[in-house]
Amino acid sequence: MKIDLFSTRFGGPYAWGKQLAQVGNKNSRYEISLHHKAWRLLLSPFFTFANIIHSVIPITFHFWSKPYLLTIKGDFTGENNLWQSWYPKAIKRADLITVPSRFLKERLNLKTALVIPNAINFADFPIRTPAPTVREEMTFLAVSNFWFEEKAQGLVKLFGILNQLYANQRNFELLVVGDGKYLPSLKSQAKNNRFKTTFLGQKNARPYYYQADVLAYYSLHDNMPNVLLEAMAAGLPVLTNAVGAVSEFIDDGQNGFVAATEAEYLLKLKSLAADPDLRKRLGQAARQQVFQKFNWEAVIKEYLKIYESLVH
């Protein structure tokens, strides 16, 4: 069975499409071809030799009579990009729609959409070596995409909370992984931080999951951040504000912390900073959660079921 998978050429949708194709093609019954080059996207409505069209780009018209599966990765109503106005027509034309969370399904009022969560390649994240019980300095890690203002504002919120933490605990630093147009402004604001702040730029965050003690995530707009799943897979305890669908995969106090307010965020940050055993317990539970529910080897089965249903 041949599937043409259309995606953007960069960012989360591309990484998702690349992984879906890699894992799905392990099954000899399927041949999933990822297309992201501009010329191929422009020609996509006119011809295809595949059995099924699967796209994260809204295709509003087409001349082929093939099953069309549309995957919507984020809240397009709040995004200012080329595709925003295309989604309503694409939704009407699609035979089936999938979204990564119940949160997004409800927000977009897609009553018939199927929820299939984001996933990661669990094998890429070896088991975490326990950190020493006593360390001279704690390391908090923040990973985000600073091309979006809401994510940049989230880091500013985190700066404020960590400055409050500094009054009680002075021996910590913050590592920041990410790039984008708001990064220069963030670096300027970080000069006022009372704690050590190191900007690492756009790097593979994976090694830092094993160097840090806590992933501290804060964003004002999000759906299902993959960075949280990756950190959890690495066994790194995570703390996030209550944004998007995070409560659908983090059980507060069981495999991570979700804070409803800045005051609660600070309290939970203090708990994590003071208790190595708590960090270890949350990290181990988080790793198990990702393995069971958000591993590509498990999630790909949901897409393969859909492909089968669309051709029968």
Side-chain angles (χ1 to χ4, degrees):
M1 184 186 302
K2 294 184 177 182
I3 296 98
D4 274 346
L5 178 59
F6 295 103
S7 173
T8 56
R9 61 183 300 177
F10 54 84
Y14 173 75
W16 167 86
K18 184 178 180 180
Q19 291 176 358
L20 187 152
Q22 288 175 342
V23 179
N25 286 334
K26 292 179 181 179
N27 187 317
S28 59
R29 174 168 166 71
Y30 301 92
E31 181 183 332
I32 305 174
S33 299
L34 177 63
H35 304 286
H36 60 85
K37 293 183 178 180
W39 69 267
R40 187 64 181 89
L41 298 180
L42 290 172
L43 291 176
S44 62
F46 301 99
F47 75 92
T48 178
F49 298 106
N51 302 100
I52 296 171
I53 304 301
H54 186 178
S55 182
V56 289
I57 294 173
I59 299 175
T60 58
F61 72 95
H62 54 77
F63 294 101
W64 31 258
S65 57
K66 307 280 185 178
Y68 169 29
L69 171 62
L70 175 64
T71 292
I72 302 176
K73 302 297 290 180
D75 181 8
F76 61 83
T77 63
E79 298 172 353
N80 184 19
N81 57 43
L82 172 66
W83 316 108
Q84 183 184 42
S85 62
W86 295 17
Y87 273 102
K89 288 184 179 179
I91 288 170
K92 291 179 180 179
R93 285 191 171 272
D95 295 289
L96 198 61
I97 297 169
T98 69
V99 291
S101 66
R102 296 189 302 275
F103 164 82
L104 190 60
K105 177 178 179 176
E106 294 170 3
R107 190 174 185 89
L108 298 178
N109 195 30
L110 298 172
K111 293 182 172 60
T112 61
L114 299 180
V115 176
I116 302 180
N118 288 343
I120 63 166
N121 288 321
F122 190 78
D124 291 341
F125 299 88
I127 193 166
R128 180 181 172 85
T129 302
T133 302
V134 178
R135 296 181 61 178
E136 292 184 2
E137 184 178 65
M138 278 199 65
T139 300
F140 297 112
L141 175 65
V143 182
S144 196
N145 185 343
F146 303 122
W147 290 102
F148 300 96
E149 184 178 6
E150 294 87 353
K151 292 180 182 291
Q153 290 175 347
L155 185 63
V156 173
K157 292 280 189 183
L158 181 61
F159 287 166
I161 294 170
L162 288 173
N163 277 316
Q164 294 180 66
L165 178 67
Y166 185 84
N168 301 96
Q169 178 174 333
R170 296 174 181 267
N171 57 334
F172 70 84
E173 67 172 336
L174 174 67
L175 301 180
V176 181
V177 175
D179 199 359
K181 67 178 182 180
Y182 294 101
L183 187 59
S185 173
L186 291 170
K187 287 183 176 180
S188 178
Q189 294 184 67
K191 293 178 181 178
N192 297 320
N193 288 344
R194 302 167 67 189
F195 54 90
K196 181 181 177 182
T197 308
T198 303
F199 289 88
L200 300 168
Q202 189 62 46
K203 291 189 176 183
N204 182 352
R206 196 179 306 159
Y208 299 100
Y209 297 142
Y210 296 92
Q211 297 178 25
D213 297 287
V214 174
L215 179 80
Y217 191 83
Y218 208 113
S219 178
L220 303 189
H221 176 78
D222 226 320
N223 175 36
M224 191 176 184
N226 261 26
V227 59
L228 294 177
L229 292 178
E230 291 178 353
M232 291 168 72
L236 179 65
V238 300
L239 167 60
T240 177
N241 63 313
V243 64
V246 296
S247 294
E248 293 181 30
F249 59 97
I250 299 177
D251 298 318
D252 184 47
Q254 299 300 313
N255 53 28
F257 278 140
V258 180
T261 65
E262 291 182 47
E264 185 181 350
Y265 197 106
L266 177 60
L267 287 174
K268 290 180 174 179
L269 201 58
K270 289 179 178 178
S271 297
L272 288 167
D275 193 339
D277 290 334
L278 174 63
R279 298 198 298 270
K280 181 179 179 181
R281 176 176 65 79
L282 292 179
Q284 290 175 339
R287 181 174 168 82
Q288 187 64 22
Q289 167 85 331
V290 173
F291 175 74
Q292 291 177 344
K293 297 183 179 180
F294 304 98
N295 181 3
W296 261 118
E297 296 297 332
V299 172
I300 192 64
K301 296 176 183 177
E302 299 301 315
Y303 286 108
L304 300 186
K305 287 178 184 177
I306 290 176
Y307 295 156
E308 291 292 337
S309 71
L310 288 173
V311 296
H312 292 97

